[in-house]
Amino acid sequence: MGWLLGFLILGLGKFKTIAFALFSVLKLGKFAGTGLSMVLMIVSYTFFYGWKYALGIVVLIFIHEMGHVYFSKLKKVEVSLPLFIPFVGAFIRLKEEPKDAKTDAFIAVGGPLFGVIGAFICMGLAFAYESKLMAALAYFGFFITVFNLVPAYPLDGGRIVTSLSPTFWVVGIVLLGALSFYYFNPMVILVLL
């Protein structure tokens, strides 16, 4: 009977530890969603790519999204912190609509600009340390930047060309259609839809 009482006390102690940890995370408020979704994405990608590459991918996506956050702050447009969705990507939520297409395009440019800087940093580290990991992350960074610049809404390129004319979306739709025909990818098809 003593062992049962000890087990219950130990269990209660563990529960308090878990409850305290959960409370601490919830106290982080607006950072909790970003942090938890980043961890979930890293864990999800770790099963396929290993933890180092998974961490690198998430950091590069975070840098990209923070470019949007920074550029929105420059235009005084309130946005949320990034939310990560495994195997989909990440997004920020506009708390208010930009006043015009030019402002929306300005905010959209921030992500690819920060993303390509992150990719160049990875490329520099790849050359400096002859790191295959950094080379792979640089490739990912450049690829995701180019993909995001396809002129099709809701990608960044689609938001950028809207300031010129939404008819440019036709070019993006054709590009995505060709891409999905040659390289089947459910995400490309989802963007097309």
Side-chain angles (χ1 to χ4, degrees):
M1 191 61 126
W3 64 270
L4 180 61
L5 183 59
F7 183 74
L8 289 173
I9 291 171
L10 182 65
L12 184 60
K14 292 286 185 193
F15 177 75
K16 281 184 178 179
T17 303
I18 292 169
F20 179 75
L22 184 61
F23 179 73
S24 298
V25 167
L26 293 176
K27 275 181 31 179
L28 294 174
K30 63 182 180 179
F31 302 108
T34 298
L36 289 174
S37 65
M38 285 176 77
V39 168
L40 178 63
M41 195 161 178
I42 292 168
V43 170
S44 300
Y45 284 173
T46 296
F47 290 111
F48 295 95
Y49 308 118
W51 73 270
K52 291 177 185 177
Y53 189 66
L55 178 64
I57 288 172
V58 173
V59 168
L60 283 170
I61 294 172
F62 179 76
I63 290 169
H64 174 102
E65 292 302 322
M66 290 311 289
H68 293 307
V69 171
Y70 178 74
F71 274 55
S72 68
K73 297 286 184 203
L74 292 177
K75 289 291 186 176
K76 298 182 179 15
V77 174
E78 288 297 316
V79 296
S80 69
L81 288 173
L83 186 64
F84 292 77
I85 303 170
F87 307 107
V88 174
F91 66 93
I92 59 167
R93 188 177 49 82
L94 297 171
K95 294 182 179 178
E96 59 184 277
E97 288 297 317
K99 62 183 177 195
D100 53 31
K102 186 177 176 183
T103 301
D104 193 31
F106 182 80
I107 293 168
V109 165
L113 181 62
F114 274 42
V116 81
I117 290 169
F120 272 116
I121 290 169
C122 288
M123 188 172 73
L125 291 171
F127 284 124
Y129 297 104
E130 297 181 6
S131 169
K132 291 180 182 179
L133 173 64
M134 286 296 132
L137 288 170
Y139 177 84
F140 173 82
F142 289 124
F143 176 81
I144 205 73
T145 298
V146 170
F147 178 74
N148 262 296
L149 288 173
V150 170
Y153 196 82
L155 298 174
D156 296 333
R159 293 173 52 214
I160 293 167
V161 298
T162 299
S163 64
L164 302 173
S165 171
T167 56
F168 284 110
W169 290 355
V170 173
V171 174
I173 291 169
V174 169
L175 283 171
L176 289 175
L179 186 63
S180 66
F181 180 75
Y182 288 108
Y183 305 102
F184 176 76
N185 185 319
M187 282 310 303
V188 174
I189 293 170
L190 183 63
V191 170
L192 266 171
L193 293 175

